[in-house]
Amino acid sequence: MNIYKTETIGFCFGVERAVNAVYKILENEKFDGKKIFTWGELIHNPDIVRELAEKGVYATENIDDINEGDVVVIRS
């Protein structure tokens, strides 16, 4: 059996862009103290979803979880 490794390994462009956008939001002072949500899981990778939750970014599909002033990132 032959096993081939691609030259690049990682997220597709859309997922990488969405994940980077969330990290930029987390670094931005003006969002300090506000709840940050993603509309559904941002990525189908439990480690990344867990890491984001540990940083205060929560996945939801329930509009009642979101309050005025919260930040919502729509997944790609």
Side-chain angles (χ1 to χ4, degrees):
M1 170 179 22
N2 294 323
I3 299 175
Y4 299 93
K5 184 180 116 185
T6 62
E7 289 184 31
T8 59
I9 297 174
F11 304 140
C12 71
F13 174 76
V15 169
E16 183 175 3
R17 185 174 174 211
V19 170
N20 287 339
V22 170
Y23 282 116
K24 282 184 182 180
I25 290 169
L26 288 168
E27 292 172 1
N28 192 326
E29 294 175 5
K30 73 179 184 176
F31 293 111
D32 191 32
K34 294 183 180 179
K35 289 185 180 177
I36 302 171
F37 294 94
T38 61
W39 192 255
E41 289 186 348
L42 193 61
I43 180 174
H44 299 296
N45 179 320
D47 294 328
I48 299 296
V49 172
R50 185 174 32 259
E51 179 183 321
L52 291 173
E54 289 170 0
K55 294 180 181 293
V57 179
Y58 303 99
T60 189
E61 291 186 13
N62 183 351
I63 197 77
D64 293 330
D65 291 340
I66 302 166
N67 295 309
E68 187 172 336
D70 289 344
V71 177
V72 180
V73 177
I74 307 297
R75 64 185 176 205
S76 61

